[in-house]
Amino acid sequence: ASYLEMARTEAWTTLFGGRNALSIPFFVKRLEIDYRRPIDLEDEVRVWLRIGEIRGASFTFEYQVEAAGEVAATASTKLACVDKTTGRPVPIAPDVRATLESLQV
């Protein structure tokens, strides 16, 4: 899960770092991981991610974690956009949605 968070944070900062990436109010609503093999401390780890489904107030990141050149896990996180004041879901801002859609596979 830590590898996913690091990859997601780096991707989010790269995508939206020009404006304060932390000002976009999303939280992780769901995390699913399918483990395939252990990761040893000396393994070189790579995390590949892409944008999956985009809905009104949420979207998913899909991941593949590789360790020593082998798939160690596949995963997904569902992120929801919320109003910072009420904590209630709100639609994804049009400019954020456009950036996410440009990265969908």
Side-chain angles (χ1 to χ4, degrees), residues 37-79:
R37 76 180 272 297
I39 297 175
D40 295 325
L41 287 175
E42 63 273 357
D43 285 345
E44 179 180 332
V45 177
R46 291 180 183 230
V47 180
W48 305 96
L49 67 117
R50 65 180 182 191
I51 303 297
E53 180 180 37
I54 302 172
R55 302 187 56 106
S58 65
F59 70 96
T60 59
F61 273 122
E62 298 171 345
Y63 309 83
Q64 180 169 295
V65 180
E66 294 178 357
E70 298 179 22
V71 176
T74 56
S76 67
T77 52
K78 182 173 188 176
L79 285 83

Side-chain angles (χ1 to χ4, degrees):
S2 296
Y3 291 117
L4 305 179
E5 185 167 354
M6 288 186 291
R8 184 176 62 250
T9 300
E10 185 173 327
W12 196 254
T13 302
T14 299
L15 291 173
F16 300 105
R19 58 185 206 192
N20 184 357
L22 298 177
S23 71
I24 303 172
F26 282 95
F27 75 97
V28 176
K29 183 176 179 179
R30 179 178 303 127
L31 165 65
E32 296 179 1
I33 305 173
D34 291 318
Y35 295 99
R36 306 265 177 97
R37 76 180 272 297
I39 297 175
D40 295 325
L41 287 175
E42 63 273 357
D43 285 345
E44 179 180 332
V45 177
R46 291 180 183 230
V47 180
W48 305 96
L49 67 117
R50 65 180 182 191
I51 303 297
E53 180 180 37
I54 302 172
R55 302 187 56 106
S58 65
F59 70 96
T60 59
F61 273 122
E62 298 171 345
Y63 309 83
Q64 180 169 295
V65 180
E66 294 178 357
E70 298 179 22
V71 176
T74 56
S76 67
T77 52
K78 182 173 188 176
L79 285 83
C81 183
V82 296
D83 181 286
K84 287 183 177 182
T85 305
T86 66
R88 302 289 305 156
V90 295
I92 298 169
D95 60 328
V96 173
R97 176 179 289 280
T99 299
L100 296 174
E101 287 174 345
S102 74
L103 299 170
Q104 269 186 313
V105 175

